[in-house]
Amino acid sequence: MKYSNPVIKGFFPDPSVCFAEGKYYLVSSSFQYFPGVPLFESDDLVNWKQIGHVLTRKSQVMLEKINSSGGVFAPTIRYNNGRFYMVTTNDTTHENFYVYTDDIHGEWSDPVTVAQDGIDPSLYFEDGRTYFISNGSDDSGDHGVVQCEINIETGEKLSPSKCIWHGSGGRYLESPHMYKINGKYYLMAAEGGTEYGHMITYCRSDSIWGPFENYPHNPVLTNRNKAPGIIQGIGHGDLIQDKNGGWHILSLGFRQIHMWLPYHHLGREVFLTPVKFGADGWFTAGTDGTTAAEYEIAGNFTQDEKKHYTFENTSWNIDWCFLRHPHTENYELSDSKAVLHGTAITLDDVDSPTFLGIRQRDFNMEMSVNVSVNDGEGGITVFMCESEHYDIAIRKSESGFEAILKLNIGDIKHIQNTVKISSGNAKLIIRSDSINYNFYVSENGKETHLGSGQSKYLSSEVSGGFTGVVLGLYAVGNNTAEFSDLEINYN
Ligand code: 6LW
């Protein structure tokens, strides 16, 4: 059957995938957001349902006042002997650690740290041994993939860390994963950096410690020279065999806006690309080494995309996230309503404002919600990070209530429009296409256009960092803001 890329839309970068107990499981990075490491389940590699997060307890991950795009970097998920493992880096504390669970729908363990530096850790299990692989450097300080053996019970290193591969010559050798296929060890990684030059490369060996022979036609997969095409940044992938024996790479990529001087603001998303092994044991990927928008995959099923999100059809602990560790006493969440209590912490602070976010999945969107504010400010935000976000809110002023549109772009923090409203209750609406967000307030069925903000100023190219746009509910001040009748529709 035919499927379209991306298979997971919105900010879910650095995918890693494993097959276990008849299903596929996928994790992605989460940086400053909590809970950390979104976890997805699939029957077919195309339709992915988020089933929760891996890091759900404060004790598992330090996120206190961490910088945006710090915190939880690229995770790897693996399954061995009835147990799931997720290994990742807290880039802020420079710690590599893993957690595990025997119940993919349950809680995960406390973290076990591993004393090997570098980011993008991965695990490989064979014959009772566990290998821990990450990016790092050799004895002369040159970048490479570094491996050691560990005791999986304790995280203790059982061998020195050894550089086993220097890549194919690209910068930022990252996301190494080891596989054994038909008796050979394949080491796949990303190079080029997580931008327009991103690529996937690999090598193979008869021994897990090398020497590794480079695939003669690296990179095996990259969209860096693909034009015209909106899919860019393909890289950081994991190799997976499907139930029918076919092979695939699940990788990150992004959808660029504009053909020249492009940008992207929805973050890095998940793409599925077919892989073919040749008689010589080398594999090729995609369409002449590029990822296309559509492919065929074996199986009789349809690709379903959720286009309609409400409080009722989302779960607070699955679809929504906080900025850093939340002050839980400020959230009263029920099936059809969110009551938020603000504090002095604002969306501009590197801290935990009262905020609940859900990733923006596609460009064309309408978000609307009824907001009732008794004091201070409460509203919704199109949030890239504390420096770049557009907010529409109801605010109490000395003379009553007003609806405001605030545009925050770097050092420019501007109240773009203020409209008096008759009470602290109104409907706030955001409508977007790929280029603009438009903001409205509606009272008694009468809509007022408050203004617009361009998507390009919320892009990774402007904002920097590794995240994508998240739609948020927020409250600031000593107040109560009630949110009801949420609708987010994509078309
Ligand atoms: C991640 C690195 C990367 O650790 O970006 O795309 C970093 N690749 O591998 C953060 O997402």
Side-chain angles (χ1 to χ4, degrees):
M1 80 105 197
K2 199 184 254 183
Y3 70 87
S4 303
N5 273 316
V7 290
I8 305 178
K9 291 180 172 176
F11 147 57
F12 293 104
D14 307 318
S16 169
V17 61
C18 73
F19 180 72
E21 299 167 357
K23 291 188 191 287
Y24 307 95
Y25 293 96
L26 180 147
V27 288
S28 72
S29 304
S30 52
F31 306 100
Q32 72 271 31
Y33 290 98
F34 183 82
V37 185
L39 173 65
F40 293 82
E41 186 179 73
S42 173
D43 286 316
D44 50 35
L45 291 173
V46 171
N47 293 298
W48 291 95
K49 183 174 182 248
Q50 196 175 342
I51 57 169
H53 295 84
V54 174
L55 303 175
T56 53
R57 302 189 303 280
K58 205 172 167 177
S59 61
Q60 289 170 311
V61 60
M62 203 300 284
L63 297 176
E64 230 59 69
K65 299 197 177 173
I66 67 160
N67 284 335
S68 290
S69 289
V72 179
F73 268 38
T76 298
I77 188 167
R78 291 292 181 260
Y79 180 75
N80 185 54
N81 267 342
R83 183 162 278 187
F84 291 88
Y85 296 85
M86 187 288 297
V87 60
T88 186
T89 310
N90 185 333
D91 192 60
T92 301
T93 59
H94 301 295
E95 257 173 329
N96 281 325
F97 66 94
Y98 58 89
V99 292
Y100 55 87
T101 184
D102 296 341
D103 173 10
I104 194 76
H105 295 278
E107 285 281 305
W108 294 64
S109 72
D110 280 337
V112 181
T113 52
V114 176
Q116 178 168 298
D117 293 341
I119 57 166
D120 299 353
S122 190
L123 294 172
Y124 173 72
F125 297 91
E126 189 177 0
D127 294 339
R129 293 175 187 267
T130 309
Y131 301 86
F132 182 92
I133 307 144
S134 66
N135 89 343
S137 46
D138 65 14
D139 295 341
S140 348
D142 288 335
H143 289 297
V145 171
V146 175
Q147 176 173 271
C148 67
E149 192 187 333
I150 61 165
N151 176 342
I152 194 64
E153 299 297 322
T154 61
E156 181 201 352
K157 278 171 67 168
L158 301 178
S159 79
S161 296
K162 185 187 166 206
C163 178
I164 54 171
W165 193 42
H166 284 100
S168 73
R171 62 177 184 167
Y172 300 126
L173 178 57
E174 296 168 336
S175 91
H177 292 304
M178 184 76 76
Y179 314 90
K180 193 173 192 183
I181 302 164
N182 290 333
K184 279 201 187 296
Y185 295 92
Y186 289 78
L187 176 58
M188 191 173 91
E191 298 182 49
T194 192
E195 302 137 19
Y196 295 86
H198 215 193
M199 50 186 168
I200 293 183
T201 58
Y202 75 101
C203 55
R204 71 181 184 193
S205 174
D206 292 324
S207 157
I208 194 161
W209 292 105
F212 284 89
E213 181 194 1
N214 278 10
Y215 170 54
H217 308 293
N218 275 325
V220 65
L221 185 64
T222 181
N223 276 25
R224 65 185 181 183
N225 296 318
K226 194 170 164 108
I230 64 155
I231 299 173
Q232 288 298 322
I234 291 291
H236 196 121
D238 207 353
L239 192 61
I240 183 88
Q241 188 170 29
D242 69 29
K243 297 172 193 170
N244 301 305
W247 288 88
H248 310 264
I249 291 174
L250 272 156
S251 76
L252 70 75
F254 51 82
R255 290 179 284 165
Q256 73 173 43
I257 310 290
H258 292 318
M259 292 319 292
W260 292 285
L261 298 186
Y263 66 89
H264 65 290
H265 61 289
L266 295 189
R268 294 164 300 159
E269 311 181 290
V270 181
F271 291 75
L272 180 65
T273 307
V275 163
K276 272 201 187 74
F277 275 84
D280 54 7
W282 295 113
F283 64 83
T284 56
T287 314
D288 300 324
T290 68
T291 294
E294 284 188 346
Y295 283 109
E296 286 285 335
I297 187 167
N300 207 357
F301 57 93
T302 51
Q303 183 173 17
D304 296 323
E305 192 182 331
K306 182 166 172 172
K307 299 219 172 211
H308 179 60
Y309 293 74
T310 62
F311 284 145
E312 291 77 8
N313 78 9
T314 55
S315 301
W316 294 115
N317 55 2
I318 294 178
D319 303 275
W320 295 83
C321 55
F322 302 102
L323 272 167
R324 307 176 183 85
H325 293 302
H327 302 285
T328 47
E329 67 279 11
N330 294 328
Y331 300 84
E332 292 171 63
L333 307 176
S334 61
D335 285 351
S336 57
K337 209 161 73 173
V339 179
L340 305 191
H341 301 287
T343 68
I345 304 169
T346 75
L347 296 176
D348 299 339
D349 296 324
V350 181
D351 203 332
S352 192
T354 305
F355 167 98
L356 264 166
I358 186 164
R359 281 139 170 100
Q360 186 182 342
R361 299 297 196 114
D362 221 332
F363 303 118
N364 296 329
M365 178 210 62
E366 179 176 282
M367 175 181 189
S368 65
V369 66
N370 285 332
V371 186
S372 171
V373 171
N374 68 345
D375 202 347
E377 178 180 321
I380 53 181
T381 177
V382 185
F383 190 83
M384 185 56 160
C385 74
E386 65 277 359
S387 339
E388 281 78 32
H389 53 101
Y390 300 153
D391 321 323
I392 175 175
I394 297 171
R395 184 168 77 172
K396 177 127 187 249
S397 71
E398 277 165 18
S399 57
F401 287 94
E402 56 199 16
I404 53 169
L405 169 63
K406 300 205 282 190
L407 303 183
N408 303 272
I409 305 167
D411 296 325
I412 306 169
K413 303 204 167 289
H414 188 245
I415 297 189
Q416 193 78 351
N417 202 353
T418 308
V419 169
K420 251 190 133 11
I421 51 174
S422 57
S423 75
N425 302 318
K427 182 190 263 197
L428 301 179
I429 305 165
I430 305 173
R431 297 195 180 103
S432 69
D433 55 27
S434 57
I435 311 290
N436 284 301
Y437 291 93
N438 275 285
F439 301 92
Y440 307 81
V441 60
S442 170
E443 261 200 309
N444 309 318
K446 189 177 162 282
E447 261 182 36
T448 309
H449 185 217
L450 288 173
S452 63
Q454 291 178 64
S455 62
K456 73 175 167 190
Y457 299 117
L458 303 183
S459 67
S460 302
E461 286 75 2
V462 167
S463 189
F466 295 126
T467 58
V469 164
V470 171
L471 306 168
L473 319 173
Y474 75 96
V476 175
N478 186 10
N479 68 352
T480 298
E482 267 191 42
F483 298 82
S484 59
D485 296 313
L486 172 82
E487 302 260 355
I488 304 172
N489 288 304
Y490 296 100
N491 50 52

